[in-house]
Amino acid sequence: MACFQMGSCHAVPMSLFKNNRNKVCKSILDNSQESLKLGSGQLIILLEGGKDQSLYNTDVDYVFRQESYFQYMFGAKEPGCYGIVSIDVKTAQPTSVLFVPRLPEEYETWMGELLKPDQFKAMYEVDEVYYVDELEAYLEKNTPKLILTLSGVNSDSGLTMQPPEFAGKDKYVTNCDLLYPIISECRVIKSKEEIDVLRYVAKVSSDAHIKVMQFIRPGRMEYEGEAVFLHHAYAVGGCRHASYTCICGSGINSAILHYGHAGAPNNRPIQYGEMCLFDMGANYCGYAADITCSFPANGKFTEDQKFIYNAVLDARNAVMETARDGVSWVDMHKLAGKVLLERLKAGGMLSGDVDEMLEAGVSGVFQPHGLGHLIGLDVHDVGGYLPTEPRRPSEAWLSKLRFARILKAGMYVTIEPGCYFIRQLMDKAIANPQICKYINVEVFERFRNFGGVRIEDDVLITKTGVENFAIVPRTVEEIEAAMASK
């Protein structure tokens, strides 16, 4: 059985990608055959894989990562490929064809063995393999009635995927709109084989987070924690890539939602008595983890730190206990916000009616992001705002949600409530009479330099609840015990 495997790490069978192809083909025929009016003949899905990207105008390339839709359908590691799935409309039988670059002989001197088409065929368990320069001849021989290419807008980035260009394209009827929502929806519900990979990379990431918690102490640099995570993920878990830039914020940096960027590269010394918020996820065979742990730098929570941490933990637990197939994700966001406000009120930071606070958007002062997101081959995975799904809410405190769907069994999502003391949001809240009337300003101001807390888990939605793949200490007692064992 052909598979992707790093050393003795998890083996990802190529049947995963074959099953994905079959799933997409079935969905096209089930949902679009009548509107396409094909009758009989060949329908072809044509995808373009990712390309090597140079570092500006140098001869150094970024480490290649396959384009996610191509990875979903073929699992190919190499850049510069094309892929075809040819469907006989009459029999519904798909044929998979991979096109690989024809590289010069000199390539072998610098980059290693030049694999032959038969070797690629065995490696990826596809039906046929040709060189990219044979794509035009393949199409001429098979005379497809319709070629489906991929184009669409990513609802997280706002960027548009452009349909591929290929020799002889103008000879055929092409459609670049139909495929994107279908394949995106297929990616939303994970197969058993995908779930196995996601469980593996979440476990690797969880163990790496625990290593970081045991390593961190006052005087360490934030980036040292990042280095510990990346080393464990690669050396132990075979994860060459992280799923996103590691966020390793301490003190006030823990209130910067996407800290760790080029202008602030996790480069602050960690101080005694501060909270640390470390948001890091490994990536294996393209599949992502996204886990956040918040903990005290010195291994012991202060009373203020317990107050904020437990407020977030209670919000997280409420969602964990309620989320399941058939439940609204928007309602889950509202539930987390309500529980957070209740706990902040109980601790003396807020006063008044919690339902009124929720409607006024007070929870958005403390958690200005959505409750979580779909996750899979992209850390913010596709399928959030497809044409058939609910639109993005218009209310300010709900508008950051990355999806507003009804949960389905087989979805894989993050649950990540947080509470942050972000200076500009604090100032705006105090200046807004409709918000400030609920705030005990003296207590609120006590936390101005606190930073923030986020608790993020990766969970599989089931018929009866959730299965949490993030296996890390979560209670105050568990965190203190884990940090004491370093």
Side-chain angles (χ1 to χ4, degrees):
M1 180 183 71
C3 65
F4 168 90
Q5 188 171 25
M6 294 289 283
S8 60
C9 298
H10 181 75
V12 182
M14 287 298 122
S15 59
L16 182 155
F17 307 104
K18 179 180 181 179
N19 292 339
N20 288 348
R21 293 193 293 270
N22 292 342
K23 181 180 181 181
V24 171
C25 292
K26 184 178 186 302
S27 185
I28 289 170
L29 294 177
D30 287 350
N31 296 301
S32 307
Q33 188 169 0
E34 186 176 331
S35 63
L36 292 172
K37 295 181 173 61
L38 291 172
S40 61
Q42 272 194 327
L43 167 66
I44 276 182
I45 300 169
L46 192 156
L47 299 179
E48 182 179 13
K51 301 174 182 176
D52 265 330
Q53 298 290 328
S54 295
L55 184 62
Y56 303 110
N57 71 333
T58 73
D59 62 352
V60 176
D61 291 336
Y62 289 100
V63 177
F64 178 71
R65 292 175 67 168
Q66 188 58 267
E67 192 280 318
S68 296
Y69 286 100
F70 200 84
Q71 180 72 9
Y72 182 76
M73 295 285 273
F74 291 96
K77 302 187 296 290
E78 294 78 12
C81 296
Y82 284 77
I84 277 179
V85 181
S86 176
I87 310 169
D88 186 307
V89 177
K90 203 166 189 177
T91 65
Q93 185 64 36
T95 300
S96 55
V97 189
L98 183 65
F99 295 84
V100 298
R102 192 191 298 270
L103 299 169
E105 286 185 5
E106 189 182 20
Y107 177 96
E108 199 161 51
T109 302
W110 298 92
M111 308 295 278
E113 181 186 3
L114 286 170
L115 299 183
K116 302 293 190 291
D118 282 349
Q119 292 171 288
F120 281 109
K121 181 180 176 181
M123 183 188 302
Y124 295 121
E125 290 188 348
V126 291
D127 297 310
E128 302 172 36
V129 175
Y130 302 99
Y131 291 112
V132 171
D133 58 27
E134 297 175 298
L135 175 58
E136 185 175 13
Y138 176 90
L139 293 173
E140 288 177 353
K141 179 182 176 182
N142 286 270
T143 60
K145 276 197 165 185
L146 176 66
I147 299 176
L148 300 180
T149 58
L150 194 61
S151 179
V153 178
N154 183 295
S155 60
D156 289 302
S157 68
L159 300 175
T160 300
M161 171 178 278
Q162 299 299 330
E165 295 299 324
F166 52 93
K169 182 177 180 179
D170 57 350
K171 301 175 186 176
Y172 304 98
V173 178
T174 62
N175 182 314
C176 67
D177 299 319
L178 184 143
L179 182 59
Y180 191 85
I182 290 176
I183 192 172
S184 297
E185 181 61 24
C186 286
R187 283 176 57 180
V188 169
I189 305 299
K190 278 30 181 195
S191 68
K192 180 187 180 303
E193 290 163 316
E194 287 183 296
I195 290 167
D196 289 343
V197 185
L198 291 164
R199 183 182 283 109
Y200 171 77
V201 73
K203 181 62 166 65
V204 169
S205 301
S206 297
D207 291 346
H209 269 283
I210 293 170
K211 292 285 186 184
V212 171
M213 293 169 70
Q214 294 172 335
F215 169 83
I216 289 297
R217 62 176 182 266
R220 301 278 196 197
M221 298 296 291
E222 294 165 334
Y223 63 74
E224 291 183 79
E226 177 182 13
V228 170
F229 180 91
L230 295 175
H231 177 265
H232 181 92
Y234 201 177
V236 178
C239 300
R240 188 177 198 187
H241 300 288
S243 292
Y244 50 94
T245 303
C246 292
I247 299 167
C248 303
S250 64
I252 57 172
N253 289 345
S254 61
I256 302 172
L257 301 183
H258 284 173
Y259 180 68
H261 55 83
N266 298 323
N267 62 344
R268 179 179 178 274
I270 297 167
Q271 306 295 324
Y272 186 90
E274 292 182 333
M275 284 296 292
C276 297
L277 187 159
F278 279 38
D279 182 341
M280 303 177 288
N283 189 286
Y284 190 78
C285 194
Y287 284 89
D290 184 2
I291 298 171
T292 305
C293 294
S294 298
F295 53 90
N298 53 301
K300 287 287 185 182
F301 284 84
T302 66
E303 290 306 309
D304 277 352
Q305 289 171 346
K306 287 180 185 178
F307 168 38
I308 301 303
Y309 186 87
N310 282 330
V312 177
L313 183 64
D314 286 349
R316 172 259 197 188
N317 290 345
V319 176
M320 286 282 198
E321 292 164 4
T322 310
R324 56 179 48 82
D325 182 273
V327 169
S328 162
W329 187 244
V330 176
D331 287 347
M332 291 300 90
H333 181 88
K334 291 178 179 179
L335 173 62
K338 182 173 183 177
V339 172
L340 178 66
L341 294 178
E342 288 173 344
R343 300 302 181 268
L344 294 179
K345 177 182 176 181
M349 188 174 292
L350 302 174
S351 62
D353 184 85
V354 170
D355 288 327
E356 290 180 7
M357 291 184 216
L358 204 62
E359 287 302 312
V362 176
S363 67
V365 173
F366 298 96
Q367 185 194 301
H369 59 75
L371 176 63
H373 50 83
L374 298 164
I375 180 171
L377 281 169
D378 293 311
V379 67
H380 295 156
D381 213 13
V382 295
Y385 290 105
L386 297 175
T388 55
E389 300 303 328
R391 294 187 176 186
R392 187 184 297 274
S394 58
E395 300 93 329
W397 69 287
L398 298 173
S399 64
K400 300 301 183 184
L401 280 166
R402 294 186 183 272
F403 70 106
R405 299 177 57 150
I406 302 300
L407 296 174
K408 294 180 183 178
M411 283 182 170
Y412 190 56
V413 305
T414 65
I415 294 174
E416 50 178 304
C419 182
Y420 316 88
F421 296 89
I422 300 170
R423 290 172 181 177
Q424 61 145 334
L425 297 185
M426 294 180 72
D427 292 341
K428 287 180 179 179
I430 292 169
N432 183 345
Q434 300 307 311
I435 299 292
C436 190
K437 66 182 180 180
Y438 299 111
I439 297 175
N440 181 335
V441 175
E442 184 179 353
V443 177
F444 192 49
E445 286 288 358
R446 193 171 83 226
F447 288 83
R448 182 168 284 272
N449 296 314
F450 178 90
V453 166
R454 179 163 63 252
I455 301 173
E456 182 177 16
D457 296 289
D458 298 352
V459 307
L460 178 69
I461 304 298
T462 71
K463 288 287 186 184
T464 58
V466 302
E467 181 184 351
N468 185 11
F469 290 1
I471 313 300
V472 291
R474 283 306 190 204
T475 67
V476 166
E477 294 75 19
E478 288 169 349
I479 292 168
E480 290 184 347
M483 296 185 72
S485 66
K486 58 189 174 184

